[in-house]
Amino acid sequence: MPIIDQQTLVRSVDILATGILVTAFLIISSKSLTFYVRLFAFQSILLGMLSLVIAVRYGETHILTAAVLTFVVKAFTIPLLLNKVIDRIRVRKEVDFSINITVSLIICGAIVILSNSVAQPILQVQRAGSLFTTKVLPISIAVMLIGLFVMISRKKAVTQIIGLLTMENGLFLSGLSITHGMPLIVEVGIFFDILVAALILGLFVFRINKSFETIDIAAMRSLRH
Amino acid sequence: MSIVLFSLLLGIPFVSAIVCALSPGRRVLESVTATGTGLTFLSALVLAHEVLKHTFLSSPNAFFYADALSALLAAIVTGSAFATALYSFGYLNAHVAAGTISAGQLRLYYALLNVFLFTMVLVLLSNNLGFLWIGTEATTLATAFLVAFYDTKRSLEAAWKYVIICSVGIALALFGVILTYFSSVTIAGSSSPSLLWTTLMIVAKKLDPAILRLAYVFILIGFGTKAGLAPMHTWKPDAYGEAPAPISGLMAGGLVNVALYSLMRFTVLVNKAVGHEFTSTLLIIFGLGSIIIAVPFILLQQNIKRLLAYSSVEHVGIIAFAIGLATPLAYLGALLHMLNNAIVKLLLFFSAGNLRLAYHSKIMRRIEGAVHVVPFTATVFLIGVFAVTGWPPFGLFVSELTIVTAGFTAGHFLPTIVFLVSVATVFVGFIYYASKMAFGSSEGRERQIDSTPMTRILLAALALLLLCFGLLIPAPLMTLLRNAATVMAG
C-alpha cells in the first residue's frame, strides 16, 4: 500500500504545478530584482515538493535524488549566489522592460493557451497510468515559454539569468510529467551544468557591471553585422 | 582495450586541465598542454584504427561507445585541439612579451583549453543521449571565459550573447532529448526506457513517430544553434570575432563538428524510425538558408575574423545540406567536408591571428600589403582562401564536388544550383578582400618577424594536408569515411 494514493497524488501535483505557473506569472509582473530571485527560489521549492510527492508515490529513488538536488541547487544555492551578485553591484535594482507588464501578462496568457494545444499531440500517445500528466505537461511547456519570454522582454542581465533558469524549471517539470524524470546520472549531470552556468553568468554580470557601469544589456550594442 | 582507450581519451584532457589549473609557470603549462593534446590525438588515431578492425567499441555498461562516425570525429576534434595548442604558444607568448596578459590569465587559458577538449570528447564518446546533451552544454560553459579572454567591453558582450543564446538553444534541445526518451517510454511492454543510442536504434521502428518528429524539431533548433545554423547563428560572428584567434579556430574546426555530430546521431535515429523525408526537408531548408544568409555578410565585411565566422556559417550550412540529401554519396561528402572545413578554418584563423599580431588590427582595410610585411603568413592565408572557396586542388573542392554530384543525382536540382551560385559569390567576396590584404600597398611598413618557427611549421602542415586531401585521400582514412557514411545510412 503506497503512502499516497493516486487521487491525493493527482490533486497535490495539480496544486503544485499550478503554483509553479503562478510564480512564473508573478515573475512577469514583478518590478524588483530581489523579488525575481525570491520568486525563482519559491518556484524551485514548489518544483522540489512536486518531485518529492511523485517520488514517494512511486517509490522511485532517482526522483527523490532529483527533488533533493532541486532544493539544494535551485532553491538554495543559486538564489544565494544571485543575491550576492545583486548586493555587490551598485545599480538600481528595478527591472527594465522592453515590453510593459500589462502587455507582458496578456502575451503570457496567450502562451498558456498555445502550450495547451502544443501539448495535445504528446498527450494523445500517453500511456495509461500517469494520469497527472494531462494538466502538468501544458503547464511545463508554458513555464518554459514564459522563461524564454522573460529573457526576451526584460533588459537586465540578472533577469536574463532568471529567465533561463525558469526555462530549465519548465523543462524539468516536463521531463517529470511525461517520463518520470531522466535516468539519475543524467539528472545529476544536468544539475551540475545548471549550477556552473549560473555561476559563470553571475561572474559575467560582475564583469559587465565593471566595464559598462550598468547591467542593462541594451548598453551592449557595439557588435553589429 | 575499449576501456583503456576511452579512459585515455577522457582522462588525459581532464588531468591536463587540473595540472594546468595548479601549475605555476608558462613552461609547465605549455609542455602539459602540448603533451596532453598530443597524446589525446594519438589515442583518437588508435581508436580509429581499432574501429576499422572491430566496427565498434563499447564500454561494458554501454555508456561509452565508438563507431566509425565517432572515431572519425574524435580524430578531427583532437587533431584540431593539438594544432590549437601548438599555435597558442606562439600567439600567447607574443601577448606575454607585450605585457597584455597576466600569468593568471595564461593559466586560465590553458586549463580551460583542456577542459574544452574534455567536454568535446565526452560528447563524441557518449552513447547516452542525455550525456551527449550534458557534454554539449559543458562545451559552452568551458568556452565562456575563453571567448571573454581579453576582458574588454566587446569580448564581454560577445561572451554574454554566446552563453545566453547557446544555453537557450541547448535548453530547447533538452526538451527534444526528453521527448526522445518519452518516445521509448511509450513502447508497449518495454520494461526500461532508454536513452542509449544503440538501444534506441534497435527499437527505432517501434518509437512513436509523431513524438520523434516533434523531438527532432527541438533537437535541430538546439544543436543547430550550437553549430551556428541560420537563423540561430547570431552569436557566432561576435564570439569568433572577439575570442583569441586559436580559440576561434578550435570553435570553428572542432566545436562546430561536435554540434553537427550530435545532430547527426539524432538524424540517423529519426531517419530509421520515420524515414528520411522529414529530416531531409528540414536540413535542406536550414542548410541552404545558412549558405544564403552568409553571402551578403561575407561580401560586406570589414573584420577579418567576422568574415571567417560567416564563412563558418556558410560551411555548416553546406554540411547540413549534404546530410539532408540523405544518400550514401552525400553522407561521404558531408563527412569529408567536416574534415576539410576543420583544417581550413584552423589555417585561416591562425593566419588571421598572425596578421592581427603584425598589424594590431582585425579590420581588413588596415591590413595591407601582407606579402611584403609577413610573407609566410600571407602565403598560407591565400592558400587557405583558395581552399575555403572550393578551388582545386584543395580538399574542399573534392568534398563540395561530391556534395554537388550527390545533389544532382538525388534530383534536388534547384537547391543544388542555389548552393553553387552562393558558393561562387562567396568566392568573389573572399578573393576581393584577400587580394587587398595580401597585395595592397605596404608603404611605411617594415618587414616583420613572421611568427615562430613552430607556428610556421604548423601552418605549412595544415596547408599541406588540405592539398593532400585534394589530391589523394589515404586508404585507411577513406575506409573510415566510408564506414562512417554507412553508420549515417543507418
Side-chain angles (χ1 to χ4, degrees), chain B residues 123-147:
Chain B
V123 174
L124 297 177
L125 297 184
S126 288
N127 189 21
N128 186 314
L129 295 178
F131 258 75
L132 195 83
W133 182 89
I134 292 168
T136 310
E137 168 70 9
T139 58
T140 313
L141 303 175
T143 41
F145 284 112
L146 290 173
V147 172

Side-chain angles (χ1 to χ4, degrees), chain A residues 62 118 121-123 125-127 137 140-141 144-145 148 151 156-158 160-161 164 167-168 171-172 174-176 178-183 185-190 192-194 196-205 207-213 217 219-225, chain B residues 63 108 128 130-131 133-138 140-142 144-145 148-161 163-164 167-168 170-172 174-179 181-183 185-190 193 195 208 210-211 214 218 237-239 242 297 300-301 306 310:
Chain A
H62 76 269
V118 169
I122 305 176
L123 290 171
V125 288
Q126 178 64 42
R127 209 164 45 152
L137 184 67
S140 69
I141 295 174
M144 259 167 70
L145 292 176
L148 188 61
M151 297 186 72
K156 284 269 196 300
V158 177
Q160 293 209 324
I161 303 180
L164 185 63
M167 263 187 95
E168 293 276 5
L171 272 169
F172 181 79
S174 75
L176 209 56
I178 55 176
T179 66
H180 284 198
M182 306 281 253
I185 181 133
V186 175
E187 209 78 87
V188 173
I190 292 172
F192 179 73
D193 270 356
I194 293 171
V196 176
L199 253 171
I200 290 179
L201 288 169
L203 276 168
F204 271 148
V205 173
R207 286 165 71 169
I208 288 169
N209 184 53
K210 216 172 75 187
S211 308
F212 289 82
E213 289 167 352
I217 50 146
M220 297 200 287
R221 46 173 72 240
S222 54
L223 297 176
R224 287 284 183 271
H225 306 299
Chain B
F63 208 85
L108 183 76
N128 186 314
F131 258 75
W133 182 89
I134 292 168
T136 310
E137 168 70 9
T140 313
L141 303 175
F145 284 112
F149 183 70
Y150 289 124
D151 207 10
T152 59
K153 277 190 178 192
R154 292 173 66 94
S155 68
L156 275 174
E157 178 181 343
W160 179 263
K161 276 188 195 165
V163 176
I164 288 288
S167 295
V168 170
I170 218 68
L172 295 174
L174 181 58
F175 191 56
V177 175
I178 292 172
L179 286 174
Y181 186 55
F182 175 55
S183 76
V185 175
T186 53
I187 297 175
S190 148
L195 265 177
D208 188 278
I211 297 291
L214 187 62
F218 283 98
D238 298 348
E242 298 309 314
F297 289 98
L300 303 168
Q301 195 48 255
R306 293 175 77 86
Y310 281 108

Side-chain angles (χ1 to χ4, degrees), chain B residues 210-224:
Chain B
I211 297 291
L212 263 191
R213 282 200 196 94
L214 187 62
Y216 188 75
V217 173
F218 283 98
I219 294 289
L220 178 62
I221 294 174
F223 289 107

Side-chain angles (χ1 to χ4, degrees), chain B residues 398-420:
Chain B
V398 179
S399 44
E400 284 180 14
L401 190 67
T402 311
I403 294 168
V404 169
T405 315
F408 284 129
T409 17
H412 292 281
F413 294 103
L414 187 65
T416 312
I417 289 169
V418 172
F419 164 83
L420 277 172

